[in-house]
Amino acid sequence: MIETVVALLMFVGAEIKEHRIQVDPDTGKPSMSVCLKGKRTASRNISENIEFKCIKSKAQLEKNIDGSFSIKALILE
């Protein structure tokens, strides 16, 4: 399934090591403000070569066993 998501990306060097969908817990919709809050929190506890970025992009999603979704692949245009 392909949908537009807001994702928090973790870069180590120039490589994406992790990506997480960021949604508002009240509405269940993609949320840039939730992503930026997560970015601020994560940035306080990192080493020098790790960087976090929030992006709004299309992504191929896969459904997890618990019914939640995770990013299988980002579609960068």
Side-chain angles (χ1 to χ4, degrees), residues 4-74:
T4 300
V5 298
V6 173
L8 177 59
L9 307 179
M10 180 179 77
F11 290 86
V12 177
E15 186 178 342
I16 297 173
K17 288 292 186 179
E18 190 171 328
H19 40 67
R20 300 274 181 194
I21 298 172
Q22 302 294 301
V23 295
D24 185 310
D26 297 328
T27 64
K29 294 183 179 179
S31 174
M32 186 60 75
S33 64
V34 171
C35 187
L36 293 170
K37 182 179 178 183
K39 177 184 173 188
R40 280 192 302 275
T41 301
S43 295
R44 292 180 187 139
N45 305 314
I46 60 164
S47 65
E48 293 178 15
N49 64 340
I50 298 175
E51 183 180 353
F52 295 92
K53 290 186 181 181
C54 292
I55 65 164
K56 185 174 184 176
S57 176
K58 289 186 179 183
Q60 183 179 1
L61 304 178
E62 61 183 358
K63 196 169 190 174
N64 298 322
I65 294 172
D66 64 357
S68 64
F69 289 93
S70 61
I71 298 172
K72 186 173 183 179
L74 289 170

